[in-house]
Amino acid sequence: MIHQLRIYEIFDENKQAFHDRFEEHAIRIMESYGFRFVSLWEARSNERTEFVYLLEWPDEDTMTRAWALFMDDQEWKDVKKVTGAEHGRLVGEIEEKVLRPTSYSS
């Protein structure tokens, strides 16, 4: 089992549109490809607002395949196009960390 930590820079002027899109569309589509959400947060760091979430995966191959399917999903592409046209850019910098357990992790 591995975890994936994702950190998105979001913008205060349209963060509600980002949250609406993620809650109403992204989660549902992602879950259809096997994404398992552990938790989701909003944080303030270095004078920017961040959306942070943690995913759980059985292995890296599954994670890689699921991300490829999600990014190629036509509904997701359409949602991003429509919300981007309506609200502008919703996500800035994206950070990702794949967390592998140590040999002494519980």
Side-chain angles (χ1 to χ4, degrees), residues 31-75:
E31 287 178 339
S32 76
Y33 292 111
F35 285 65
R36 185 179 179 291
F37 289 86
V38 175
S39 197
L40 305 95
W41 304 270
E42 186 176 299
R44 188 95 179 133
S45 173
N46 299 326
E47 298 187 19
R48 73 180 200 174
T49 302
E50 298 172 327
F51 174 69
V52 181
Y53 63 103
L54 186 66
L55 298 166
E56 184 177 81
W57 298 101
D59 54 61
E60 287 189 57
D61 287 340
T62 301
M63 177 186 74
T64 301
R65 281 192 306 274
W67 273 106
L69 290 168
F70 171 66
M71 296 307 290
D72 197 42
D73 183 274
Q74 190 58 54
E75 181 185 2

